[in-house]
Amino acid sequence: MFEHLLSDPAKAFREEVRDLVKWVPRQMILDMDQDRIQFPRAFLEEAGRRNLMGCRYPKQWGGRDMDWVTTAMAMEEVGTLGYIFACVFGVGAELVCDAIIRHGTDDQKERYVKPLLRGELFAAECLTEPRGGSDFFGTTTTAVEDGDHFLLNGQKRFIVGAQGADFFLVYAKTASDRKPHESLTCFIVDRDTGVQTEYLYGLMGCRGGGAGRIVFRDVRVPRANVVGTVNGAYAVFNTMMIPERLGTAAMTIGAARPALDVATRYSSRRKAFGATINTFQGVSFQVAEAAMLLDAARAMVYATCTAVDRGEPPGTTRRLISETKKFVTESCQQVAHNAMQVMGGIGYTNVFPVERIVRDLRLASIWTGTNEVMSMIIANEWYRTHAGQASDTGARNWEMDADQAEAVDEKIYE
């Protein structure tokens, strides 16, 4: 952990989060991985009771007025329990809360945010549909006005928390005659209004988080539950991408940390050829690479959190967040791979938790926007920013720092 980047209040908060991590029974972790627990309600209730969720939101609505650096630290610590713990912790307390805090009404904050952060209600965010996930604005879920209500029809799938959520943050098309970015509306949908959910078994990892399919058939949603404005979900989606992708990066570090710790302990004790295997470069160099990747990942997360806290321009933060999500998730998957490689065959069994960590972390580069989508955003923002810098007459033109730079006849672009 980068102590020099944490304020004293952040360090004190970290100890509170670590106490929660210690509180979680070993059997809960095992039961979730075996699908004996389909949704960790007790964990979220305890986190809410301790006032640990949504720490960066105003105290007025149940938060603790902290910053993004502190939030990232907390997400990392929760992630050490297992990737799915951080997933369910963040979906409600970071993603859904963020949308309502930033775009919702005071009445919505009172009815949904406060009890959610107290651990009395649970929420899920509904983005992915059976027809696809990355094409968010191509959603086929619809909401048609019906007096003071909307009639919601459609399906969402792979929704973390679907099994246990009391309400859902749902995006639906409300204007078929408008451009995709101007045709969606964000709604708060209560489960008891006729929402149908089905728990999905057979996930490779990240089990026990209540992931499921959600079906809406003429579900009546009051106009008072529109988050933001009708046809204005683009603004909600844009701000939610910050906690969704930055939070994912932070928690991925936490989920990978135990793999390195277990591999380090194992290689310090396991003997072969008359010596502990950490004395062999083939082993120690893999541990060194894993430690380096975790440090680089954490540095990137904290630097990006600082940029968000300081209000850097949206284009800059969008690129940094996408870079961070891609780099950190891929780096942490490599950390888990190295840990298993160091441990050999025993790492491939359930005698150690490394095999579960490898399975769980495979989700990291897929959800909250695939890493291919992250690359697309990075490229778009980079070229856009570069074009703006090219018009800055005060910048040095490095292209001219070559001996034959004036050979214009050799610079052929078409």
Side-chain angles (χ1 to χ4, degrees), residues 40-108:
R41 183 176 296 269
F43 167 70
L44 293 176
E45 288 175 342
E46 184 66 17
R49 187 187 69 78
R50 296 174 183 234
N51 192 209
L52 299 180
M53 297 194 289
C55 70
R56 62 192 171 88
Y57 299 122
K59 291 181 180 179
Q60 176 186 5
W61 305 116
R64 296 175 69 157
D65 286 320
M66 294 178 141
D67 58 13
W68 252 110
V69 170
T70 307
T71 299
M73 173 277 299
M75 293 298 292
E76 177 181 340
E77 292 299 328
V78 172
T80 61
L81 285 166
Y83 203 57
I84 192 58
F85 281 88
C87 288
V88 295
F89 183 92
V91 162
E94 295 298 327
L95 307 187
V96 175
C97 272
D98 197 81
I100 302 174
I101 288 286
R102 291 179 179 273
H103 302 277
T105 64
D106 284 355
D107 176 64
Q108 290 170 349

Side-chain angles (χ1 to χ4, degrees), residues 160-274:
V160 172
Q163 187 72 3
D166 298 292
F167 68 94
F168 306 90
L169 195 73
V170 182
Y171 293 83
K173 187 175 289 294
T174 45
S176 59
D177 57 342
R178 295 193 181 192
K179 297 177 181 178
H181 288 57
E182 300 172 354
S183 66
L184 301 186
T185 302
C186 182
F187 298 93
I188 299 171
V189 182
D190 294 307
R191 175 186 286 275
D192 60 11
T193 55
V195 178
Q196 301 175 31
T197 62
E198 178 185 357
Y199 187 67
L200 297 180
Y201 295 89
L203 296 178
M204 174 180 171
C206 288
R207 302 166 185 158
R213 181 190 297 269
I214 300 178
V215 180
F216 309 102
R217 291 192 178 95
D218 287 333
V219 172
R220 290 178 62 80
V221 184
R223 184 177 292 272
N225 278 24
V226 170
V227 179
T229 61
V230 175
N231 299 323
Y234 180 57
V236 181
F237 178 79
N238 267 348
T239 56
M240 284 188 68
M241 289 304 98
I242 296 175
E244 184 152 288
R245 290 164 180 171
L246 190 49
T248 288
M251 71 192 209
T252 306
I253 297 172
R257 259 173 57 192
L260 176 58
D261 180 79
V262 170
T264 302
R265 291 171 183 267
Y266 181 84
S267 62
S268 299
R269 299 169 63 185
R270 171 72 169 176
K271 289 185 176 181
F273 307 105

Side-chain angles (χ1 to χ4, degrees), residues 26 28 65 79 111 134 199 205 222 230 257 329 372 406:
R26 168 179 176 267
M28 181 184 293
D65 286 320
R111 288 190 294 130
S134 297
Y199 187 67
V230 175
R257 259 173 57 192
T329 55
E372 288 71 28
E406 287 84 5

Side-chain angles (χ1 to χ4, degrees), residues 255-256 259-260 290 331-341 354 357-359 361:
L260 176 58
S331 295
C332 289
Q333 287 170 345
Q334 185 65 44
V335 168
H337 168 83
N338 284 20
M340 182 173 284
Q341 197 68 20
V354 174
I357 294 170
V358 170
R359 286 189 284 109
L361 282 179

Side-chain angles (χ1 to χ4, degrees), residues 3 37 48 61 64 91 109 118 138 142 168 245 248 260 321 342 391 397:
E3 298 288 327
I37 293 178
W61 305 116
R64 296 175 69 157
V91 162
K109 296 170 191 175
R118 288 196 300 261
T142 61
F168 306 90
R245 290 164 180 171
T248 288
L260 176 58
I321 289 167
V342 162
S391 62
N397 183 0

